[in-house]
């Protein structure tokens, strides 16, 4: 289905890009916050906790919807992800 349906391929590509960006940010958070803001180990936990809470809320909101509702949620996310990155 990934090869025969173009929308499935494009959605998988977008999801892969989003995961790539999120995991690169996980690697960059300690470097940026320690050099720019002088954070030590304890405030890093608060930053990662905020990321976890946001991810958990987004997952629960998406899981509660029907599959068609998840597609609408993904359309909203596609606008919000680039805004959140910058």
């Amino acid at each position: 289905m990934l090869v025969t349906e173009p929308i499935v391929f494009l959605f998988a590509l977008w999801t892969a890009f989003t995961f790539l960006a999120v995991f690169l940010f996980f690697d960059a958070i300690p470097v940026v916050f320690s050099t720019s803001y002088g954070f030590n180990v304890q405030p890093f936990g608060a930053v990662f906790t905020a990321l976890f809470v946001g991810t958990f809320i987004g997952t629960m909101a998406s899981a509660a919807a029907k599959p068609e509702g998840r597609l609408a949620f993904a359309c909203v996310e596609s606008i919000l992800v680039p805004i959140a990155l910058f």
Side-chain angles (χ1 to χ4, degrees):
M1 210 167 162
L2 189 63
V3 179
T4 59
E5 297 290 332
I7 192 68
V8 173
F9 174 74
L10 292 174
F11 190 69
L13 193 65
W14 173 254
T15 304
F17 170 74
T18 305
F19 278 130
L20 172 76
V22 166
F23 287 122
L24 283 176
F25 273 108
F26 281 161
D27 284 343
I29 283 173
V31 174
V32 171
F33 279 87
S34 65
T35 58
S36 299
Y37 302 110
F39 279 22
N40 54 14
V41 176
Q42 193 172 16
F44 284 141
V47 173
F48 284 116
T49 302
L51 289 170
F52 172 73
V53 168
T55 303
F56 182 75
I57 291 171
T59 302
M60 290 299 112
S62 178
K66 294 180 181 178
E68 296 84 14
R70 291 181 191 163
L71 183 60
F73 189 71
C75 291
V76 172
E77 283 180 354
S78 70
I79 295 169
L80 295 178
V81 168
I83 294 170
L85 292 178
F86 302 102

